[in-house]
Amino acid sequence: MPEAKSTSTEIDITRDRLAELLNEDLSREYQAIIGYVVYSQVLTGAQYMDIAAQLEIHAKQELDHALTLSRQIDYLGKMPTVTPQPVRTSKDPKEMLRFDLDNENETIRNYRDRVRQCEALGEYAMAEQIRQILVQEQDHQIDLATALGEDVPNVNSGPKGRKKGR
Ligand SMILES: [Fe+2]
Ligand SMILES: [Fe+2]
């Protein structure tokens, strides 16, 4: 029997594998909730007032994302995880915002893959829910990049933002 073809983008996945990947997404959502709850309250100074208020809104949106993902994982017949990814902390406001932005970039990469994977399995409604989450994650990314005075990073879709023509 021929070996199963390995696909770098994991488009060709099973429902079980999708549930596993959604659980990884859920761990990242928990991480985001914790990060935004803490950072929104400890960021002080006039120049950070706007972004601190935005981070508070992010915290609530991340909770909604976690609820949506848990529902989908349950629908796939699996148990939603209870473990967050580790949260990095810093006393330096810029560094805090940098951690948030890095996490959002990673999250966006993953959700772009997840939309394709859901569609490959014919789970179009689930793909739509992930798309709606993705829209908000991209807003978070813009808020953070703006607060850092940077351009919004180009997070290429596909594994680890692989560059074209490599
Ligand atoms: Fe989120
Ligand atoms: Fe986010």
Side-chain angles (χ1 to χ4, degrees):
M1 203 174 156
E3 233 177 88
K5 228 192 319 183
S6 83
T7 53
S8 57
T9 52
E10 276 198 71
I11 289 292
D12 188 16
I13 61 164
T14 61
R15 292 167 69 83
D16 278 1
R17 180 60 185 148
L18 178 63
E20 267 177 39
L21 291 167
L22 288 171
N23 256 329
E24 291 174 14
D25 297 330
L26 181 55
S27 295
R28 272 186 291 274
E29 292 292 350
Y30 292 150
Q31 174 195 52
I33 294 166
I34 297 167
Y36 286 132
V37 163
V38 174
Y39 297 171
S40 64
Q41 304 309 310
V42 302
L43 267 182
T44 47
Q47 74 270 44
Y48 296 114
M49 262 173 60
D50 285 352
I51 186 67
Q54 284 168 335
L55 297 191
E56 216 171 295
I57 295 168
H58 293 187
K60 294 174 185 172
Q61 291 174 328
E62 307 296 13
L63 175 58
D64 283 339
H65 301 168
L67 288 167
T68 301
L69 291 177
S70 298
R71 190 184 181 85
Q72 303 309 323
I73 293 161
D74 176 67
Y75 161 80
L76 289 169
K78 298 290 172 187
M79 185 71 178
T81 185
V82 295
T83 312
Q85 290 285 313
V87 181
R88 290 175 292 179
T89 54
S90 170
K91 293 208 185 303
D92 175 19
K94 283 226 159 194
E95 209 171 44
M96 270 191 246
L97 296 172
R98 165 74 42 214
F99 292 154
D100 282 341
L101 182 56
D102 288 348
N103 290 342
E104 292 287 352
N105 292 341
E106 180 66 19
T107 293
I108 288 167
R109 265 185 219 112
N110 273 281
Y111 284 141
R112 286 180 181 172
D113 286 345
R114 222 63 78 236
V115 167
R116 283 189 289 268
Q117 291 160 337
C118 289
E119 290 186 342
L121 285 168
E123 292 287 352
Y124 299 108
M126 200 182 293
E128 187 53 37
Q129 304 234 20
I130 307 273
R131 271 202 182 83
Q132 287 171 16
I133 294 177
L134 188 49
V135 170
Q136 290 195 331
E137 307 297 11
Q138 292 190 192
D139 277 344
H140 298 170
Q141 188 191 37
I142 292 167
D143 289 345
L144 291 163
T146 305
L148 283 164
E150 296 175 5
D151 290 336
V152 178
N154 177 15
V155 184
N156 289 330
S157 54
K160 304 293 166 213
R162 195 176 52 221
K163 292 258 171 14
K164 254 166 82 178
R166 192 185 58 167

